[in-house]
Amino acid sequence: LPVTDTRGALAWIGLLFSAGVLSSVRLALIDLPALLLVALALWDAEREHIRSSAGWLAAAALTRETSLLASVAFFHYPPKSRTGLMRGLLWALLAAAPLVLWLGYVHWRVGGAVETGSRNFAWPVAGLLTKWHDCLRAMVEPDTQPFAWRTLLATAGLTFQAAFILAWRRPADPWWRLGAVFTGLLLCLGPAVWEGFPGAAVRVLLPLNLACNVLAVRTQAPLAWLLA
């Protein structure tokens, strides 16, 4: 995100001072480090440095498991050949291997919890609609009104990011594919991720924010998208 003009500056500010980044820093959580590793993985993938890209992505997945969705960068659209498709799948599996091994080790040592994460997902769009409903309801309650305004703006930002990816289709671009797969995640997130002020969703969906801002700068999208 080169800060050489208004568009680049807005994109940079919109990412580095987003609700997700600020929450990650304030709460000392791993979402921002994971985003950095995802950015490095995409940076190398678009330059065809697949080996190092897979390494960055493996590290990102160990930092936050949803980062593994960025493995869409290993696949070309449209597929160049069946061999290329299989190669992309192989690199995706290699990037996932450290996380799978780690989860297997943890399960072996301490066992599993069947109920853990059961509220992380919901029917498509249901969680987002519930979040909008909760934001609007909280705005009329004096005790939560200041937090509700900030949360409403953050939720609006995420909604516009998803709309941008759906409207500004560039399947051949790995950054668009990153945004598309995290848009799919946004639409399927459950109440455990959305609840709160502003909620964990703003941190989980940081790769969507990054992808949107990179695309908006590179494709010279209207400034209205960046502002939204």
Side-chain angles (χ1 to χ4, degrees):
L1 294 173
V3 188
T4 55
D5 56 12
T6 301
R7 189 184 305 274
L10 279 174
W12 189 89
I13 292 169
L15 178 67
L16 269 296
F17 293 92
S18 66
V21 167
L22 295 180
S23 295
S24 176
V25 172
R26 182 173 64 88
L27 301 173
L29 296 173
I30 43 73
D31 305 270
L32 186 56
L35 181 69
L36 172 61
L37 294 168
V38 167
L40 290 170
L42 266 288
W43 181 261
D44 276 350
E46 67 177 347
R47 293 185 297 168
E48 299 294 333
H49 298 166
I50 303 301
R51 183 177 299 179
S52 58
S53 177
W56 290 123
L57 189 56
L62 287 170
T63 309
R64 172 170 276 287
E65 67 280 3
T66 51
S67 301
L68 200 58
L69 293 172
S71 59
V72 293
F74 298 143
F75 300 91
H76 294 279
Y77 185 87
K80 293 181 178 179
S81 65
R82 185 174 180 180
T83 302
L85 187 63
M86 296 304 296
R87 185 180 295 114
L89 180 60
L90 175 62
W91 283 114
L93 292 174
L94 288 173
L99 176 62
V100 172
L101 291 172
W102 171 246
L103 293 177
Y105 172 76
V106 171
H107 184 80
W108 171 56
R109 297 296 295 177
V110 301
V114 177
E115 297 300 322
T116 301
S118 59
R119 297 176 64 244
N120 286 347
F121 296 99
W123 290 105
V125 188
L128 179 61
L129 292 177
T130 301
K131 181 63 174 180
W132 272 103
H133 175 266
D134 292 344
C135 285
L136 295 173
R137 185 177 60 182
M139 287 177 62
V140 300
E141 300 175 3
D143 293 340
T144 58
Q145 202 171 58
F147 302 103
W149 270 106
R150 302 172 200 169
T151 303
L152 182 70
L153 290 172
T155 305
L158 290 175
T159 304
F160 276 111
Q161 287 165 25
F164 175 74
I165 290 295
L166 295 174
W168 212 256
R169 296 183 70 254
R170 300 289 191 280
D173 192 316
W175 290 100
W176 184 89
R177 297 198 296 274
L178 176 68
V181 73
F182 273 89
T183 295
L185 179 63
L186 176 150
L187 296 175
C188 296
L189 288 177
V193 190
W194 286 113
E195 63 191 12
F197 299 96
V202 293
R203 296 183 283 102
V204 173
L205 297 170
L206 274 174
L208 172 60
N209 191 340
L210 172 64
C212 284
N213 289 17
V214 170
L215 282 172
V217 169
R218 290 187 177 183
T219 63
Q220 294 293 298
L223 275 178
W225 279 114
L226 266 177
L227 292 171

